[in-house]
Amino acid sequence: MSPIDVEFERARTPGVGDAHHLNAAGAALPSARTLAAVTEQLQLEARIGGYEAAHAVRPRLDGLYALAGNVLGAAADEIALTESATVAWQRAVDALRLGRGDRVLVSRSGYVSCALHLLTLERERGVVVELLPCGEDGALDLDALAASLEAGPAALLVVTHVPTSSGLIEPVAAAGELARLHGVPYLVDATQSAGQLPLDAAAIGADLLVATGRKFLRGPRGTGVLVVRRGLLERLAPTAPDVRGAEWTGERDWTLVDAARRFETWEGSHALRLGLGVALAELDGLGVASVSEHLGAASDRLRGELSALPGVRIADPAGAAGSAIVTFTVDGMPARDVAAQLAVRAVHVVSVPASHGRWDLEPRALPAVVRASIHVYSDDGDLNALRDGVAALARLSVAPRAELAGAASGNGASANGSAAGAGAGAAGAGAAGSARPPAPSYPATPGPPVERVDAVVVGLGAHGSATTRALAERGFKVVALERFRLGHDRGSSHGETRMIRRAYPNPVWDPFVELAYDAWARLEEATGERLLERSGGLFARPVGATDALRGPGCTVLDADAAREVFPAIELGDELEGLYDPAAGLLHADRSLRALQLLARRSGAKLRDAEPLLAWEPDGDGVRVDSVGGRLRADRLIVCGGPWLPSLVPQLGLRQRIARIVNVYLEPRNPALVVPPSLGCFSFDLPIGLVYGIAALRGRGVKIGLDDGREIDPDRPREPATEAELAELAAVAARHLPAAAGPIQSSLTCLYAFTPDKRFVVGPVPDLPQVLVASACSGHGFKFAPALGEALADLVAGTARPDLDFISTTRLEAQPAQ
């Protein structure tokens, strides 16, 4: 996972300079880009009118649903935008039409607004609210839940992922499995978890999920999200349908939109929604898994430091490890006074009274707790300021209470947290736009500023970065958009090393391979860095195999001859090898940074955490919408990897996305597994093609399987299983005994396979202003600088007939290459 650069996050967060903000669970600090998105839209509305301004940014508003789905693990049509998590909750629960005798099973971690709604239904409609007990770790007792579900039919299960009153993390996935087993609708309150913990509504079995924008998502206040999974949607209808979610079809008839948007209302703050879109894109760019790992480590450290202070007691249950929320008390000092006194020291936390989490705090005999909550912009100075402030207050707790009360009343009324900052979002504006009927056509009006460029490149993996650099060096004005943060691990271009070789089964590749070697040499000259190391390569295949690897300068070797070249490799009787003396390794991460640095030096603008939302032809150019605004370009070049088919559906490209497992092995004989005793290699075996690279600079031998099970690239990748690790270890034991020590580490990446495993490069048929470079079936990194130059040629109008064998005109299936 990509590490979190705290200093970078602070640099783009204006509010960090005013105080030590440790209240992300109340309302996190937004980034400068989020703030700009809100204010720019308000200014546009003031200039041209609200309806006209909404029309001008329609692609960005429509793109919100996919952005929210990426973060919450749902499809775009399963997302509804609301004014807050509380509004989302109320609309969803009301749509269930709960009545007398309906059992609602609820975890004790529930928030006050949700509890009050359920208790009102109990009092006024006869709904039965059953509180589920907690286990020894303070989390939901799953055995008790199972027993309750088996005791009789239930109408709804409600679990709060993380409560407002502690850092507890409830077992939402396990609860979801039980709900599915008994056919009970399952609602997850993710108000305090969305943005700080990985969330996948489908994976945890949540039929309904609510979240707010203002907390760990870092969006504006007045924004919320409701997830309604497709399987439950057809059973739900809003109690007060609105023109946004329904069409009035007859005098007494109407139909609901076939999407979660049936729960939205027409009126809404488009400015706040656009700010939420930027916040979601930035979070998706960082990767929620990376954010969660970072926040979990920092909060565990803070929890440990506070617990070591005399007179300070951590109030989090045992199940709080990994949460970004830390709650505590100070002996002899009410929580509201602690919060007020810390505010005097410019440390912003809140107190949470039992009335905001009575089902949780009251059984634990806690009238209130102090809640600190961190985010990616929280640095050591923030955590140290809290620790030192709490230590000082703990020492002062023996002082007369009147003295402390006087100090609090004079300095901290707004910071005591007894009401503000501990509840659900304030009511704000409603949803934006209309799903049906189609939006009216408006006359041309001055809209948001449009940036005019020569080319927009989408995707900053190896091919997008190389293309951006090649275009910029030729004098083109280029903007490159990357959905994630630079250096991310979500695609196919991350990691330390890649293989380069001349060996290919079809000679049609030979000229392009030579162009790749030449392009790497020029890149090394331009950067002054060594990016390619020639170690030689041995590629083993079954004896007598047809359509096997061959290539210029390559030699077929039997087992004995192969052992003389690479003593670490044992082919046995069943394999023969093809030796390629020009093969070697590429320093992948270093190369990617070099391409991006050269692109910037030549004037290209690289915008990460800024996904493409929409594009459409505009005369002989293209209009492009991203979360950052609108661009008009002469050419659009999409290097979207696994996401290419969805970004350019006109291409009709079919890709299979596979999860690939790699391991690093501790060598048994270190001298035999480094160049020149070993280079790059592969073994064509019954389990598939196993590839690898020699040990370098303290790392073990890298080996991986060249295929894997199909996955959704928008879902978190599962780590390697024990069976997968054992399979690779067995290959090493048989064919690389000198390398077959313990596994040092493992990682997963993804390949996007085209049907013939060839690339797809060139203009989209009937859309010459749009060019693509497909993900390259696991063998494309070696061609990156050459592909970048080829795409730059095409943009410049230079014909490249040598690319015909990988052109966009040959999408029909061909023999695998």
Side-chain angles (χ1 to χ4, degrees), residues 89 111 130 222 295 310 387 478 505 566 569 585 587:
W89 165 287
Y111 178 60
E130 297 183 14
L295 296 184
R387 179 201 61 205
V478 187
F566 286 158
I569 289 182
L585 67 92
H587 294 282

Side-chain angles (χ1 to χ4, degrees), residues 791-808:
L791 285 165
D793 280 341
L794 295 175
V795 169
T798 302
R800 289 295 301 264
D802 59 318
L803 300 181
D804 287 349
F805 77 108
I806 54 173
S807 73
T808 52

Side-chain angles (χ1 to χ4, degrees), residues 1-4 161-162 169 193-199 216 283 286-300 320-325 374-376:
M1 292 180 288
S2 303
I4 300 300
H161 196 182
V162 175
I169 301 175
S193 62
Q196 68 137 323
L197 297 175
L199 263 179
F216 292 99
L283 175 62
L286 286 173
V288 181
S290 295
V291 171
S292 178
E293 182 182 39
H294 174 81
L295 296 184
S299 62
D300 287 348
S323 170
I325 296 174
I374 61 176
H375 217 313
V376 292

Side-chain angles (χ1 to χ4, degrees), residues 90-112:
Q90 291 171 346
R91 290 179 186 164
V93 172
D94 285 346
L96 289 166
R97 305 298 205 278
L98 298 173
R100 183 167 300 280
D102 284 338
R103 297 172 65 221
V104 179
L105 312 181
V106 190
S107 67
R108 283 194 162 271
S109 47
Y111 178 60
V112 54

Side-chain angles (χ1 to χ4, degrees), residues 368-388:
V369 294
V370 184
R371 186 185 71 196
S373 45
I374 61 176
H375 217 313
V376 292
Y377 49 74
S378 306
D379 66 359
D380 288 345
D382 295 325
L383 273 58
N384 293 342
L386 174 63
R387 179 201 61 205
D388 296 344

Side-chain angles (χ1 to χ4, degrees), residues 104-479:
V104 179
L105 312 181
V106 190
S107 67
R108 283 194 162 271
S109 47
Y111 178 60
V112 54
S113 298
C114 306
L116 292 175
H117 187 211
L118 292 176
L119 293 175
T120 299
L121 293 175
E122 183 176 59
R123 178 181 294 177
E124 297 182 357
R125 296 189 191 175
V127 171
V128 179
V129 177
E130 297 183 14
L131 293 179
L132 297 165
C134 300
E136 293 183 1
D137 62 353
L140 172 66
D141 187 327
L142 293 171
D143 291 336
L145 170 60
S148 185
L149 289 168
E150 291 167 0
L156 180 66
L157 169 64
V158 178
V159 178
T160 299
H161 196 182
V162 175
T164 192
S165 48
S166 79
L168 173 71
I169 301 175
E170 292 279 26
V172 289
E177 290 182 9
L178 291 171
R180 281 195 300 270
L181 180 64
H182 291 83
V184 176
Y186 180 35
L187 188 160
V188 173
D189 181 357
T191 305
Q192 295 287 16
S193 62
Q196 68 137 323
L197 297 175
L199 263 179
D200 189 323
I204 64 176
D207 302 294
L208 300 164
L209 184 144
V210 299
T212 185
R214 66 183 163 93
K215 296 178 183 286
F216 292 99
L217 294 179
R218 297 185 67 189
R221 299 196 71 170
T223 57
V225 181
L226 168 64
V227 175
V228 185
R229 296 284 295 160
R230 174 58 64 176
L232 186 64
L233 179 65
E234 59 189 28
R235 295 170 48 190
L236 301 182
T239 56
D242 179 85
V243 67
R244 170 65 171 160
E247 181 182 2
W248 196 4
T249 57
E251 186 169 309
R252 296 180 182 274
D253 295 311
W254 71 95
T255 59
L256 295 172
V257 171
D258 186 28
R261 272 172 267 190
R262 64 177 56 179
F263 291 99
E264 295 183 359
T265 56
W266 169 265
E267 182 50 38
S269 171
H270 299 97
L272 297 180
R273 298 273 166 80
L274 290 175
L276 176 62
V278 171
L280 288 168
E282 291 181 336
L283 175 62
D284 191 40
L286 286 173
V288 181
S290 295
V291 171
S292 178
E293 182 182 39
H294 174 81
L295 296 184
S299 62
D300 287 348
R301 168 200 150 186
L302 178 61
R303 199 173 283 112
E305 291 184 354
L306 290 176
S307 66
L309 298 176
V312 177
R313 303 179 189 275
I314 296 298
D316 292 330
S323 170
I325 296 174
V326 179
T327 59
F328 62 94
T329 61
V330 177
D331 290 349
M333 184 177 293
R336 64 183 301 164
D337 290 349
V338 174
Q341 288 295 312
L342 288 172
V344 174
R345 294 166 168 81
V347 177
H348 292 178
V349 297
V350 296
S351 69
V352 180
S355 60
H356 282 192
R358 192 166 297 281
W359 290 341
D360 171 35
L361 294 179
E362 195 169 76
R364 295 196 284 144
L366 289 169
V369 294
V370 184
R371 186 185 71 196
S373 45
I374 61 176
H375 217 313
V376 292
Y377 49 74
S378 306
D379 66 359
D380 288 345
D382 295 325
L383 273 58
N384 293 342
L386 174 63
R387 179 201 61 205
D388 296 344
V390 172
L393 294 178
R395 290 192 297 270
L396 288 171
S397 63
V398 296
R401 302 306 310 144
E403 181 179 327
L404 285 172
S409 63
N411 295 288
S414 65
N416 60 34
S418 60
S434 175
R436 121 176 28 162
S441 176
Y442 292 95
T445 55
V450 177
E451 187 175 357
R452 297 187 178 276
V453 297
D454 297 319
V456 172
V457 177
V458 175
L460 279 168
H463 297 148
S465 297
T467 302
T468 302
R469 173 238 176 172
L471 287 168
E473 288 185 346
R474 298 185 191 201
F476 288 96
K477 184 178 181 182
V478 187
V479 168

